Amino acid sequence: MTANDKMSDKKRQRQQNILKRLGNKPIVLVGIMGCGKSTVGRRLAQYLALNFIDADTEIEKAADRSISEIFAEHGESYFRQGEKRVIARLLGGGPQVLATGGGAFINEETRARIKEKGISIWMKAELSVIMTRVRKRPTRPLLQTADPEATMQKLMDERYPIYEEADMAIWSHDVTHEAVMEEILSALEKGLPPFSGEASENNEAGK
């Protein structure tokens, strides 16, 4: 067996271990805008051979409008109601990687649904890292203020204590997307409950 074969076999075993323990639940990525949920989520989905779903994209499809247009025409409250409905639907889609918008997990009803139906991972990031990323996309509705950095800090202060309710948390540092994905994979390996079949086997072995 070549080194590449060994690596592929190790990856396959790791993938299958996580998928078995995940069961029928989606992996739900939560965190502030710019923390890397979509970019890292796509890579994670590819690694695990799962579908990747971006909740914001699904909201835009359902409304036939961009998020900026929804905010401008109807306001944030209207957007949050639509977001809540779309995420409730997506959570019924079985195992997948679901990237949520920064405010989704803040909604108590949505948070409860995610806790019931999925495995949530908070992608934590520092202000400097977030600002570097969000400046690349200056259309974010909540940052259309005189001082976007102060606005972001306020959002982080308000939201981080709520994100702490996620099942797991990792740091999304200023490193490669693959390195952040590795943090998520390690968190899943450590934090997912054991596969029920494994538990049964262990019980049998202990008799």
Side-chain angles (χ1 to χ4, degrees):
M1 184 180 286
T2 67
N4 284 342
D5 288 337
K6 287 180 181 176
M7 190 175 296
S8 297
D9 192 47
K10 185 178 179 182
K11 176 183 173 181
R12 188 159 48 248
Q13 287 177 357
R14 188 184 199 192
Q15 176 198 70
Q16 291 307 309
N17 173 49
I18 290 172
L19 290 176
K20 280 197 298 184
R21 292 164 64 192
L22 188 64
N24 202 40
K25 291 187 172 183
I27 297 168
V28 185
L29 303 180
V30 305
I32 205 82
M33 67 183 87
C35 69
K37 298 183 295 286
S38 295
T39 48
V40 175
R42 286 188 180 89
R43 286 167 173 77
L44 178 66
Q46 185 176 17
Y47 185 98
L48 294 174
L50 294 173
N51 286 333
F52 172 76
I53 307 290
D54 187 301
D56 282 353
T57 300
E58 295 301 311
I59 292 164
E60 290 180 333
K61 285 181 187 174
D64 196 26
R65 279 171 175 71
S66 71
I67 288 174
S68 295
E69 288 171 334
I70 298 171
F71 265 78
E73 293 174 20
H74 302 288
E76 183 177 0
S77 179
Y78 179 91
F79 169 77
R80 295 300 174 198
Q81 289 303 310
E83 179 179 56
K84 185 168 67 174
R85 289 192 299 272
V86 168
I87 290 178
R89 170 173 57 82
L90 295 173
L91 286 169
Q96 60 188 324
V97 177
L98 173 60
T100 61
F105 199 68
I106 306 307
N107 180 277
E108 188 175 354
E109 193 175 329
T110 297
R111 193 161 67 250
R113 279 206 179 100
I114 291 173
K115 283 180 175 293
E116 178 191 359
K117 302 282 189 181
I119 299 294
S120 56
I121 301 176
W122 173 25
M123 296 178 65
K124 301 165 66 174
E126 296 173 344
L127 178 62
S128 59
V129 173
I130 292 295
M131 291 311 299
T132 297
R133 293 173 180 170
V134 298
R135 285 190 182 105
K136 296 174 184 175
R137 201 177 113 196
T139 58
R140 298 176 188 269
L142 293 181
L143 295 183
Q144 304 309 305
T145 64
D147 189 347
E149 187 162 338
T151 301
M152 178 61 77
Q153 183 63 67
K154 183 172 183 290
L155 284 171
M156 292 169 73
D157 292 343
E158 292 170 352
R159 292 178 176 183
Y160 272 35
I162 299 173
Y163 292 145
E164 286 179 356
E165 295 183 31
D167 297 313
M168 306 171 195
I170 61 101
W171 276 102
S172 180
H173 290 298
D174 189 17
V175 293
T176 65
H177 296 138
E178 286 73 18
V180 179
M181 179 188 74
E182 180 60 36
E183 290 291 322
I184 295 176
L185 290 168
S186 295
L188 288 167
E189 287 179 306
K190 292 174 187 173
L192 282 173
F195 176 53
S196 57
E198 290 175 4
S200 299
E201 289 170 11
N202 291 336
N203 288 338
E204 287 296 325
K207 286 181 179 178

